[in-house]
Amino acid sequence: MQDNNNYDIVIIGGGLVGNSVVCALQQYPQYCKKLRIAVVEAVPATEKLQTDFDVRSVALSYGSSLIFQRFKIWQKMLLQASPINNIHISTRGNFGSANVKAEQQKVPALGYVVAMPVLLKAFYDKFSEFDNVDLLCPATVSNIERIATGHQLTLIQDGNNKQINAKLIIVADGTRSKTRDLLHINTKQTDYGQYGVTANIGLADDHQNYAYERFTATGPLAMLPMTERRAAMVWCVSENQAAELKAADDVTFLKSLQETFGYRLGQLQQVGVKQIYPLRLTQAMELSRPGIVLLGNVAQTLHPVAGQGFNLGLRSAVKLAEVIIDALRNQQDYASNQVLKNYESQQLQDRATITLYTNFLVKLFSNNVPMLGYLRGKGLLALDLLPFSKQPLIKMNMGVANQIMAEYL
Ligand SMILES: Cc1cc2nc3c(=O)[nH]c(=O)nc-3n(C[C@H](O)[C@H](O)[C@H](O)COP(=O)(O)OP(=O)(O)OC[C@H]3O[C@@H](n4cnc5c(N)ncnc54)[C@H](O)[C@@H]3O)c2cc1C
């Protein structure tokens, strides 16, 4: 009989990345079915699946859509996703602009915008097929202690304390990770001096599956195509501007947005609930210890300029699953320092490349020096005229290459 409190793998945080690890492992049923897995999640599914005008969405790279195909959850998601067929990049106050088309890249779409509840529902539906996975929810972790076989976790579930044991803990409880604090893992923070104002915008016209990235003196402004004639806006501005935009009434806000963005999406008609995020790069100083590994936003939180946070987290989930399965195949201890450091070294390369790329975009397109503005304009024009020169940028956004920025820079 199975001991209910002993797990091979405990994932703390059943968000996008935590759930992705489960699907990535299940791609190898021969090995995975022997693993007993628990996902500890603080927020109940009923709450996470709620949807309305203001629902949060994520831009998935084309590469991420290929991973979801392998997880066999893509077909359902696709029905409710908004494909990005064109990306239009421009700089406010300069003539240069670049237009990237899916057909030029010989892919069905450059990426897809998917609402969070759609993504999560696809995960939950898939989980019902796995009889080796327990979802412990709503539950949080209040203590972690090293024991001979791995770690003992104290959970708070239904107001009661409960102890479970794990050979391997995968920490995936997001940017403000309490588990990272419990483990005393420090972070390094780089403040971009920008705030992201996000909201869904109701459009008078169809967006025709265009994504727009407009670089302004204060920071980038992205408008991504969503279902139901909406665009997901991320507008990066100074702290004062963010406070002003948040406090502005709908008419004043839409006028300001329309002035900055222009009329490429026609009349901007409606603005939903606005959220503000301080934009900083947060990197955990340790990605693994024996029996513990950090994944997703716990490991690094990126500037949303290039929409890479989850795409990077998804790739890390796939990589970690491969390393764990390889260890099982070779009869190694998958929670050992050696195996987890192997994962870590692969992951650090991807993280460094994406961080370099993101910092490059933030710096290049947020600096208000006139000459730089002129060069940016020229740069964007060159990008459009010389298709080969924009390949690295496009491939990075499509998520199918991660070694290219060094060449590009
Ligand atoms: C404005 C904005 C726009 C973005 N746009 C994009 C984009 O277009 N494309 C992209 O790839 N990325 C984007 N990102 C980044 C992306 O949202 C994150 O990288 C991604 O959500 C990280 O997933 P995660 O699973 O690591 O963390 P989360 O999604 O935050 O999940 C963490 C989970 O842990 C749970 N949890 C928290 N604390 C506890 C606890 N103590 N115990 C148990 N469970 C807990 C939470 O309820 C949650 O379910 C954007 C981010 C922002 C801020």
Side-chain angles (χ1 to χ4, degrees):
M1 208 173 116
Q2 239 171 13
D3 181 344
N4 278 338
N5 295 330
N6 282 333
Y7 289 94
D8 297 294
I9 298 179
V10 171
I11 300 168
I12 306 176
L16 298 183
V17 174
N19 292 336
S20 298
V21 182
V22 176
C23 288
L25 284 167
Q26 299 286 348
Q27 287 182 281
Y28 308 91
Q30 186 193 348
Y31 296 97
C32 186
K33 68 181 177 200
K34 293 178 198 148
L35 296 174
R36 193 155 177 256
I37 301 172
V39 179
V40 181
E41 169 54 46
V43 181
T46 43
E47 212 172 295
K48 285 179 159 255
L49 295 181
Q50 279 174 12
T51 184
D52 56 17
F53 182 86
D54 296 310
V55 69
R56 231 196 100 185
S57 55
V58 180
L60 299 176
S61 66
Y62 175 65
S64 293
S65 76
L66 297 179
I67 293 174
F68 285 137
Q69 280 180 38
R70 295 208 300 272
F71 290 176
K72 300 199 171 48
I73 56 174
W74 179 242
Q75 286 315 314
K76 265 192 196 164
M77 273 188 213
L78 183 59
L79 295 174
Q80 295 175 74
S82 301
I84 299 173
N85 294 338
N86 299 278
I87 300 177
H88 184 274
I89 307 166
S90 61
T91 312
R92 194 169 185 230
N94 285 282
F95 293 115
S97 69
N99 199 0
V100 183
K101 293 178 190 303
E103 62 208 39
Q104 286 167 350
Q105 304 304 316
K106 300 187 176 43
V107 287
L110 294 165
Y112 299 85
V113 182
V114 186
M116 291 277 222
V118 171
L119 271 163
L120 289 169
K121 176 83 171 56
F123 282 122
Y124 296 147
D125 288 351
K126 193 73 193 166
F127 283 11
S128 63
E129 296 172 20
F130 308 143
D131 54 14
N132 60 336
V133 181
D134 290 342
L135 185 57
L136 308 178
C137 177
T140 52
V141 177
S142 61
N143 193 36
I144 300 178
E145 267 174 44
R146 192 97 173 97
I147 54 173
T149 53
H151 288 89
Q152 182 174 70
L153 299 91
T154 305
L155 307 188
I156 305 174
Q157 195 174 12
D158 301 324
N160 298 318
N161 278 355
K162 175 180 174 172
Q163 250 102 34
I164 60 171
N165 299 328
K167 188 169 162 61
L168 175 64
I169 299 177
I170 299 176
V171 184
D173 56 350
T175 303
R176 286 185 215 94
S177 169
K178 293 221 168 61
T179 316
R180 196 177 52 205
D181 295 343
L182 274 179
L183 296 166
H184 304 291
I185 294 180
N186 291 328
T187 56
K188 182 175 136 199
Q189 310 242 352
T190 313
D191 203 330
Y192 290 112
Q194 290 179 359
Y195 282 71
V197 181
T198 64
N200 290 342
I201 306 293
L203 309 171
D205 301 330
D206 195 289
H207 49 58
Q208 297 184 20
N209 298 94
Y210 264 82
Y212 293 92
E213 188 94 48
R214 185 155 172 76
F215 294 99
T216 77
T218 58
L221 164 60
M223 298 280 264
L224 304 175
M226 287 180 75
T227 55
E228 295 163 36
R229 241 182 225 192
R230 287 173 297 174
M233 178 201 77
V234 183
W235 191 357
C236 303
V237 292
S238 68
E239 187 174 5
N240 288 345
Q241 265 179 304
E244 275 171 29
L245 289 172
K246 172 106 168 127
D249 62 59
D250 290 2
V251 175
T252 313
F253 177 88
L254 287 169
K255 188 164 172 272
S256 209
L257 178 62
Q258 192 95 59
E259 264 172 31
T260 307
F261 180 71
Y263 282 83
R264 293 174 182 84
L265 277 169
Q267 187 73 38
L268 308 174
Q269 273 190 326
Q270 188 185 347
V271 53
V273 176
K274 292 166 245 161
Q275 309 282 356
I276 299 186
Y277 299 86
L279 298 178
R280 55 178 79 104
L281 169 70
T282 304
Q283 292 177 307
M285 303 298 281
E286 280 174 80
L287 288 190
S288 75
R289 285 177 186 172
I292 294 178
V293 60
L294 274 58
L295 231 61
N297 272 27
V298 181
Q300 68 282 310
T301 299
L302 304 174
H303 190 300
V305 60
Q308 293 296 324
F310 174 55
N311 292 303
L312 175 64
L314 178 61
R315 287 197 297 276
S316 69
V318 170
K319 216 167 288 160
L320 179 64
E322 282 169 4
V323 167
I324 291 172
I325 298 297
D326 264 354
L328 286 169
R329 205 177 273 135
N330 298 322
Q331 296 177 333
Q332 277 177 296
D333 175 5
Y334 56 82
S336 67
N337 199 35
Q338 188 195 351
V339 168
L340 296 179
K341 289 293 171 208
N342 175 17
Y343 157 78
E344 188 176 321
S345 66
Q346 293 183 44
Q347 182 52 23
L348 281 173
Q349 276 179 20
D350 198 0
R351 171 165 113 172
T353 312
I354 291 294
T355 307
L356 188 68
Y357 167 66
T358 305
N359 287 348
F360 167 72
L361 287 184
V362 175
K363 288 215 177 89
L364 183 66
F365 292 107
S366 304
N367 194 322
N368 201 16
V369 179
M371 191 55 178
L372 200 55
Y374 171 79
L375 288 174
R376 281 195 300 252
K378 288 274 186 208
L380 288 180
L381 275 176
L383 207 64
D384 213 25
L385 292 173
L386 302 170
F388 63 86
S389 73
K390 64 186 172 186
Q391 291 297 332
L393 186 72
I394 298 159
K395 286 221 158 57
M396 186 71 67
N397 267 314
M398 287 165 55
V400 289
N402 60 10
Q403 296 293 332
I404 307 170
M405 273 324 283
E407 179 194 326
Y408 186 65
L409 288 171

